Amino acid sequence: MLGSTSLSGLPSGLFTIGSAAAAVIVGRTSQHLGRRIGLSVGYAAGAAGSLGVVIAAATGSVLLLFLALFVYGAGTATNLQARYAGADLASPQHRGRAVSTVLVATTVGAVAGPNLVTATGQLADALNIPRLAGPFILASVAYAAAAAVLWTMLRPDPLTTARAIAADAADPAGEPRSRKRPARETVAAHT
């Protein structure tokens, strides 16, 4: 689309800058409003960016491609931050295992993804879109599905629940430890 290999690094650069910017936005949103909102918004932005890349490829719009790749970076940033949600409610001795579970799922996706290039290219051909836009079709669907699942099913929010549990455990009123609610009751109270 760029007509020159001298500009071939520009799309990757825009994607990386977009990912860095989105990491800050998703992180701050998660800190203030909870992981459900932060991760859902991040994945929705990744879906929009993916769709923008597909439209840019179909229409030959270089400007839209650049803008879409910048926004697409939000999906990657959100993937990286999702691993922390797995550790929010894990007990200290199980946090490593919780993060590892998320990392294994990410690794499965990283291995499976490149194997789908041919199939997604054929789908793009069938839709009269350039073959290299095919993986972005899949990314758009996957990011949109992730946003929808997290928005509807990530309840209670792991970060806000973990904070509530920590606040209850801090015991500012000096209540005896034996009278405190167990963590599972605290989680149930916050759902």
Side-chain angles (χ1 to χ4, degrees), residues 28-175:
R28 286 188 177 167
T29 302
S30 295
Q31 287 298 314
H32 294 293
L33 302 174
R35 296 238 191 259
R36 183 176 71 90
I37 294 172
L39 296 177
S40 296
V41 168
Y43 280 131
S50 302
L51 184 59
V53 170
V54 173
I55 294 168
T59 62
S61 173
V62 173
L63 182 62
L64 178 58
L65 175 68
F66 289 164
L67 178 63
L69 283 170
F70 181 80
V71 174
Y72 175 74
T76 299
T78 306
N79 272 339
L80 295 173
Q81 291 193 21
R83 65 188 67 177
Y84 299 108
D88 283 338
L89 291 175
S91 60
Q93 65 269 26
H94 292 111
R95 281 196 182 120
R97 182 178 299 154
V99 171
S100 296
T101 301
V102 175
L103 289 174
V104 167
T106 304
T107 302
V108 168
V111 171
N115 291 308
L116 298 173
V117 170
T118 301
T120 57
Q122 291 169 348
L123 173 63
D125 274 344
L127 297 172
N128 240 2
I129 297 170
R131 286 182 72 80
L132 293 177
F136 290 95
I137 296 170
L138 175 60
S140 184
V141 170
Y143 284 147
V149 166
L150 290 174
W151 183 258
T152 58
M153 301 181 76
L154 190 60
R155 298 173 193 267
D157 187 282
L159 182 59
T160 57
T161 303
R163 285 181 180 158
I165 291 169
D168 285 351
D171 196 26
E175 185 178 291

Side-chain angles (χ1 to χ4, degrees), residues 1 10 19 26 76 147:
M1 285 181 66
L10 188 57
S19 183
V26 170
T76 299

